[in-house]
Amino acid sequence: MSRHNRANCERSFDDRGRQRLTAEQVAGMLDHRLHMPRVGPAELKAGCQLARDHRLAAVTCRPEHVAMAAEELAGTDVAVVTAIGSQGQGLPASDDVWVEEARELTAHGATELAVVVTAALLELPAWSSLVRTIETLAALQSEQGFRLRVHLDTAGLADEQITAACRALRAAGVWMVQGGLWQGERTGFRQVVLMREALGPDVLLKWTTPVSSLPMLLLAKGEGVDRFNANVTELLRDASRQARLAPLLVPLQGLDY
């Protein structure tokens, strides 16, 4: 099944072929970021409740908060996401190190695991080694009950490097690739469009840069972006208000801007 069918099986279109979205479907494309240093148990619990109430796609949290987040979100479809491998600070001594970490995190309730790929790790032989590790983790997804995403730091990368990295990650079997890291230089819209083309139809794409408005989210959705960061409360308020006035329409790819 393609990423489009997996992401949303209930579709509605206008007479131009533009997809109509509900405010609830917009909520289902949002990750709620709860991994910042300032987030403690109280903030995590409140954030998970927000995710439950609005049926968001996921919450992202630090490894030490996985069990608490999983408990708060039990019985929902909201994913619990955390980073694996010291958040991209280096390569493991062996694949077994990350495999064991993946098993431990999923045992505590993580349903999506993220590997961070920095520009430095794209240099051979580090990149070849990391791709092999990612392949090993990707092969465990069904067995261990998690989905594997890769956060690709695009800062300073040429277009051909972004394309080559995305093609390698697609071949490795990852479930989703995220353009950019939450710290540092932002990934631009043109870069995520480039990533979408390189990833093909079956790998989901997330844009790390928090989407600033509902029209921008709809435009990016039209270009094939599946997941977003945002100010959840403000964006969903705007989506609900707009949906009461007129349909939320996804622009046709490359035609409506």
Side-chain angles (χ1 to χ4, degrees), residues 3-21:
R3 68 180 177 88
H4 300 288
N5 290 328
R6 289 201 309 268
N8 184 3
C9 293
E10 296 182 5
R11 288 175 168 271
S12 174
F13 299 87
D14 71 357
D15 55 5
R16 291 184 54 195
R18 295 176 297 183
Q19 184 185 355
R20 295 189 182 97
L21 294 179

Side-chain angles (χ1 to χ4, degrees), residues 224-247:
V225 181
D226 301 288
R227 287 271 195 99
F228 300 87
N229 290 324
N231 183 315
V232 171
T233 302
E234 290 185 5
L235 187 70
L236 293 184
R237 180 195 61 207
D238 292 345
S240 296
R241 181 187 298 126
Q242 178 61 37
R244 289 193 295 267
L245 300 174

Side-chain angles (χ1 to χ4, degrees), residues 148-187:
L148 183 65
R149 60 162 78 179
V150 170
H151 296 190
L152 178 61
D153 184 5
T154 60
L157 296 184
D159 288 356
E160 56 269 22
Q161 291 176 295
I162 294 173
T163 295
C166 287
R167 288 175 176 168
L169 294 171
R170 178 184 68 191
V174 303
W175 174 73
M176 181 165 72
V177 176
Q178 180 168 326
L181 307 184
W182 72 281
Q183 292 180 315
E185 186 177 333
R186 301 298 193 184
T187 295

Side-chain angles (χ1 to χ4, degrees), residues 156-222:
L157 296 184
D159 288 356
E160 56 269 22
Q161 291 176 295
I162 294 173
T163 295
C166 287
R167 288 175 176 168
L169 294 171
R170 178 184 68 191
V174 303
W175 174 73
M176 181 165 72
V177 176
Q178 180 168 326
L181 307 184
W182 72 281
Q183 292 180 315
E185 186 177 333
R186 301 298 193 184
T187 295
F189 183 71
R190 187 188 63 80
Q191 290 174 310
V192 293
V193 172
L194 185 69
M195 293 176 69
R196 174 75 278 156
E197 181 178 357
L199 289 171
D202 295 319
V203 180
L204 272 69
L205 173 63
K206 180 182 171 183
W207 194 6
T208 303
T209 302
V211 65
S212 58
S213 67
L214 180 61
M216 191 66 219
L217 180 145
L218 295 174
L219 176 62
K221 175 66 175 172

Side-chain angles (χ1 to χ4, degrees), residues 138-146:
L140 291 174
Q141 290 178 101
S142 297
E143 174 191 329
Q144 295 296 318
F146 69 88

